[in-house]
Amino acid sequence: MLKVRVGRHKWKLGVLVASALLAGVWSLKGQATRPDTNAIFSPAHGSISEAISHFFGYRPEPVQPIAFPHNVHVQDVELACMDCHISAARGPQASIPDIRTCWNCHATTATDRAEIQKMKGYFDKGQDIPWQRVWGWVEESHVRFNHAPHILAKVDCATCHGDVAQMTVATREIQHTMEFCVTCHKEKGASNDCVTCHY
C-alpha cells in the first residue's frame, strides 16, 4: 500500500516538473517569436520561466560588462570598500561609483588595457557602466536589507560578501539564506523579529 502511494506521488511530481519545464520553454519561445508584445505572465513575473526561477531560488551568476579586479584595487591601490561603495555607512544601499569617479583615475592610469578601453567607451558616451547585481534577494522574499546598521555594528564586509579583496570580479561565495542571516543575528544579539528584515 505504501509503495503505491510513493509511486503515485513520484508520478505527480514528474508531471509537475515536466509541465513546468514545458511551460518555461513555451514562454521563452513566445518571447523570441513575439519581441514586440508587452504581455506579462503575472504582475510579479514577466514570464513563466522567471516565475519558476524565483520559486526555486535560481539566480544565474552575473556577467559583468567590465572585469573589475577587486584584488588590485584593494591590495595594490589600497582602496577600502567604502571608498567606492560610499553610501553603505549612511543608508540601505551600498552605492557603486558612476563613470566619472572611475575615469578620474583611469584617464591617466593603465589606459592601454582592454578593460580600461571598455570603460573609456562608456565615458565617451556619457553612460554609466551597466554593472550587474551580484547580491540581493528576489522580490518575493520581501527582504529590506539596510547596510548602515550593519556597518555601525562593525560587521565586516567580508562576513556577508566573502573575501572580495582576494577576488577579481566579485562572485557570490556566500549565499544569503534566511538561516545565514538568523544565525548571525543570534550570534550578535540582534533582533530576529520578522519585521526587522521583512517589511
Side-chain angles (χ1 to χ4, degrees):
M1 186 78 170
L2 182 61
K3 287 183 181 178
V4 173
R5 285 183 185 168
V6 171
R8 283 185 188 164
H9 288 298
K10 284 183 180 178
W11 179 81
K12 288 178 185 177
L13 181 62
V15 169
L16 176 66
V17 170
S19 299
L21 289 172
L22 285 172
V25 169
W26 174 78
S27 174
L28 290 173
K29 181 181 176 191
Q31 289 173 359
T33 58
R34 294 177 285 122
D36 57 337
T37 63
N38 290 323
I40 58 170
F41 172 65
S42 76
H45 302 97
S47 67
I48 292 173
S49 59
E50 184 182 311
I52 292 168
S53 294
H54 281 189
F55 178 79
F56 287 107
Y58 172 72
R59 293 180 61 217
E61 282 294 325
V63 177
Q64 300 299 349
I66 294 176
F68 181 85
H70 284 82
N71 56 351
V72 170
H73 289 81
V74 174
Q75 295 173 21
D76 299 347
V77 184
E78 298 182 353
L79 292 174
C81 298
M82 281 181 281
D83 288 335
C84 293
H85 303 286
I86 57 174
S87 65
R90 298 192 307 258
Q93 302 295 321
S95 61
I96 296 173
D98 67 22
I99 188 68
R100 295 168 298 180
T101 304
C102 300
W103 195 246
N104 278 343
C105 287
H106 282 290
T108 58
T109 305
T111 56
D112 59 329
R113 296 188 183 159
E115 298 304 298
I116 306 305
Q117 290 298 313
K118 290 181 193 175
M119 183 189 300
K120 183 179 186 320
Y122 288 111
F123 180 79
D124 290 345
K125 293 176 197 169
Q127 298 175 347
D128 277 327
I129 301 167
W131 300 112
Q132 301 300 302
R133 189 177 185 90
V134 178
W135 290 276
W137 291 267
V138 294
E139 286 298 313
E140 292 82 0
S141 65
H142 300 287
V143 171
R144 301 293 179 259
F145 182 83
N146 191 336
H147 279 84
H150 294 82
I151 300 295
L152 293 173
K154 308 266 189 255
V155 176
D156 187 62
C157 300
T159 302
C160 300
H161 296 288
D163 193 359
V164 177
Q166 301 299 322
M167 296 179 195
T168 51
V169 177
T171 58
R172 279 192 302 268
E173 290 186 356
I174 296 174
Q175 297 301 317
H176 297 158
T177 63
M178 188 166 175
E179 180 185 10
F180 173 80
C181 297
V182 167
T183 300
C184 188
H185 275 224
K186 283 180 182 173
E187 290 171 0
K188 303 280 185 189
S191 174
N192 266 325
D193 190 299
C194 298
V195 296
T196 302
C197 303
H198 302 278
Y199 58 93

